[in-house]
Amino acid sequence: MIPPALAEDPPQLAAAKAALRQSALLARGTLDPAGAGEALAEIILAACPPPPGAIIGGFWPMGAEIDVLPVLRRLDALGHALALPVTPPRGKPLEFRAWRFGEALVPGRFGTSIPAGGEVVAPNWLLVPLLAFDRTGARLGYGGGYYDRTLAGLPGARGIGVAFAAQEVAQVPTGAHDFPLFGIATEAGFIPTERS
């Protein structure tokens, strides 16, 4: 289920985002994911690795999202602390809970998988899911604004969008509250953005 667009968006912008969101969902559903997760892990570790000691804000992939589990496993093996997001009520930022492979997950909001326990932590390096992106670092998410609020509330944190290369578009419609990403990692390479 996709939450409705943020109330802050004027009607024309909300409509443009909704149209792109629907077409991006359909297009992503046609992509072949074979090998993409491993290729993404290689790209991230070679081109945009987190600094030593970074707290990694990851996510458990769902549906047709690119598989971030290979990179999370590699970061875990390198000694990074991992955390997964818990989706709060609308209008609030995500809450990240410490988590390691082998620890229990339970169903969360909107079909997510979240840690059954774990202390709340503030990640400083985040893998950010998306439906579409452009080379300026603009990202189209699922419409709830959770990552925009989260990144805005974590000064100095680095948000790396993760997606299939085919999810790139010429321009993502954006508003004042949309928070740009530091870069985009795909199975085909790393795209530094204007914030890099």
Side-chain angles (χ1 to χ4, degrees):
M1 176 181 170
I2 300 172
L6 289 173
E8 295 90 347
D9 282 338
Q12 186 174 2
L13 177 57
K17 285 184 177 183
L20 180 56
R21 192 170 285 119
Q22 292 307 315
S23 65
L25 272 169
L26 290 172
R28 189 181 67 182
T30 68
L31 300 175
D32 180 4
E38 288 296 339
L40 177 71
E42 292 294 329
I43 294 294
I44 288 174
L45 292 175
C48 59
I55 299 173
I56 310 300
F59 63 93
W60 194 267
M62 59 182 200
E65 289 176 337
I66 195 164
D67 186 5
V68 296
L69 297 182
V71 71
L72 289 179
R73 286 185 189 282
R74 304 247 321 249
L75 293 171
D76 184 45
L78 290 170
H80 287 286
L82 303 180
L84 297 180
V86 175
T87 307
R90 285 186 61 85
K92 298 181 183 283
L94 296 167
E95 174 184 279
F96 281 83
R97 291 187 193 160
W99 177 82
R100 297 219 85 99
F101 281 95
E103 295 179 349
L105 295 171
V106 296
R109 298 180 75 200
F110 308 119
T112 59
S113 296
I114 64 173
E119 70 174 293
V120 175
V121 297
N124 52 15
W125 197 90
L126 293 86
L127 296 172
V128 182
L130 54 85
L131 288 171
F133 68 90
D134 67 28
R135 290 190 174 243
T136 69
R139 155 196 180 271
L140 182 72
Y142 294 94
Y146 292 109
Y147 275 95
D148 294 312
R149 288 185 195 92
T150 300
L151 290 168
L154 293 171
R158 190 163 282 189
I160 305 292
V162 287
F164 294 98
Q167 290 176 258
E168 182 177 354
V169 297
Q171 184 176 18
V172 172
T174 59
H177 61 274
D178 293 311
F179 198 87
L181 297 167
F182 179 83
I184 312 290
T186 76
E187 81 284 9
F190 177 67
I191 302 166
T193 66
E194 293 176 357
R195 297 187 71 226
S196 300

